[in-house]
């Protein structure tokens, strides 16, 4: 854990991140900005890259995965227009950084991660930070988590080759899904909104995420 001196240094870096990477580029949702100022991103980074935690790029974590760039995280959270009473499904817990941000913004977060080791360390870290409204599940989330559907919002941190119909079906009326869609070198964020029972898609920013891996055994 950081010493009080380190915490001050990191708070300064976090403030700079919010001002120069987020506000200056048009992120204006004050709840998102406040959450990103509060959550200690460096605690979700591996020790060796902790000093880069507030820089303008993704960070490598275990199992060949990454924590997304702060700006792309902010774009996705802002697009979801989360309300405090929302129930949210997150697919791809990774380090748990985005999970912590979600927990700052809504009442209940269910997060699925296919690498059990990542799910375990995120679960432990988030519980230690007091995020009681989070449930981390180890498993394949490529078809969502129908057990506790419907959700007010679903956020996917890994790129799917196409829009997964199961995820759209697990949204409540008025629900929102944000997901990167496409292949390795050409992906775009898609925002889906359920209006009068029908999905409406808006194409958003180009992006680059690790792939959403679906477990083939579930097709049998
Ligand atoms: N938002 C995360 C970023 C994690 S990177 C963070 O803040 O750290 C994307 C994660 O999606 C990886 O950890 C990867 O293992 C996970 N993932 C990929 N396919 C998945 C699937 N089918 N189900 C659940 N998690 C998946």
């Amino acid at each position: 854990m950081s010493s009080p001196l380190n915490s001050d240094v990191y708070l300064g870096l976090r403030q700079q991140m919010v001002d120069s990477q987020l506000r200056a580029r048009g992120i204006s949702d004050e709840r998102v900005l406040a959450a990103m100022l509060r959550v200690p991103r460096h605690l979700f980074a591996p020790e060796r890259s902790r000093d880069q935690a507030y820089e303008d790029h993704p960070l490598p974590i275990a199992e060949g995965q990454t924590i997304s760039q702060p700006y792309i995280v902010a774009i996705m959270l802002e697009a979801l227009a989360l309300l405090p009473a929302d129930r949210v499904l997150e697919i791809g817990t990774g380090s748990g950084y985005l999970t912590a941000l979600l927990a700052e913004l809504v009442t209940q977060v269910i997060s699925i991660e296919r690498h059990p080791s990542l799910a375990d360390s995120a679960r432990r870290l988030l519980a230690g930070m007091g995020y009681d409204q989070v449930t981390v599940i180890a498993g394949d989330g490529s078809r969502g988590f129908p057990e506790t559907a419907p959700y007010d919002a679903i956020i996917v941190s890994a790129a799917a080759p196409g829009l997964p119909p199961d995820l759209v079906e697990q949204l409540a009326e008025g629900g929102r899904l944000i997901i990167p869609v496409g292949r390795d070198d050409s992906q775009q964020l898609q925002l889906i909104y359920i209006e009068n029972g029908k999905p409406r898609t808006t194409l958003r920013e180009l992006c680059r995420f690790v792939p959403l891996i679906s477990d083939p055994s579930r097709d049998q």
Side-chain angles (χ1 to χ4, degrees):
M1 284 285 146
S2 326
S3 69
L5 183 65
N6 270 342
S7 310
D8 283 351
V9 170
Y10 285 123
L11 177 60
L13 292 173
R14 212 148 56 237
Q15 183 73 62
Q16 251 174 38
M17 171 189 85
V18 167
D19 292 341
S20 65
Q21 298 172 37
L22 310 183
R23 253 185 225 287
R25 289 183 186 145
I27 303 294
S28 60
D29 181 328
E30 290 300 331
R31 292 186 73 232
V32 169
L33 293 165
M36 293 193 68
L37 185 58
R38 247 186 334 261
V39 173
R41 182 172 158 96
H42 62 280
L43 297 184
F44 295 87
E47 294 259 5
R48 64 175 186 286
S49 52
R50 210 152 263 187
D51 288 347
Q52 300 170 38
Y54 299 100
E55 293 178 7
D56 190 17
H57 53 74
L59 287 173
I61 54 172
E63 308 287 357
Q65 307 301 321
T66 54
I67 312 182
S68 306
Q69 178 195 16
Y71 178 54
I72 204 86
V73 172
I75 285 178
M76 293 174 87
L77 288 173
E78 187 167 67
L80 287 176
L82 296 170
L83 298 171
D86 282 348
R87 286 176 72 241
V88 178
L89 174 68
E90 178 191 29
I91 298 164
T93 318
S95 67
Y97 172 63
L98 176 54
T99 324
L101 291 167
L102 290 168
E104 292 280 349
L105 294 166
V106 302
T107 317
Q108 201 190 348
V109 184
I110 292 145
S111 186
I112 310 186
E113 168 54 54
R114 68 180 283 275
H115 283 291
S117 61
L118 291 176
D120 281 353
S121 54
R123 190 183 296 117
R124 244 177 293 121
L125 186 55
L126 291 162
M129 295 170 96
Y131 290 118
D132 300 332
Q133 64 280 60
V134 170
T135 308
V136 178
I137 296 162
D140 177 6
S142 58
R143 294 178 182 178
F145 193 65
E147 288 85 340
T148 48
Y151 304 99
D152 301 300
I154 302 179
I155 185 164
V156 187
S157 291
L163 183 62
D166 303 78
L167 298 189
V168 178
E169 277 161 26
Q170 289 168 35
L171 287 171
E173 174 62 26
R176 291 86 66 205
L177 160 67
I178 188 114
I179 179 169
V181 175
R183 306 200 172 280
D184 279 1
D185 51 352
S186 139
Q187 299 169 9
Q188 188 165 18
L189 285 176
Q190 295 195 8
L191 176 67
I192 289 83
Y193 175 63
I194 305 293
E195 193 177 25
N196 301 322
K198 291 206 187 88
R200 226 182 46 200
T201 301
T202 311
L203 297 179
R204 298 283 312 249
E205 288 74 5
L206 298 176
C207 56
R208 180 167 247 189
F209 281 79
V210 297
L212 184 70
I213 313 273
S214 49
D215 176 358
S217 65
R218 289 180 54 168
D219 290 330
Q220 288 161 11

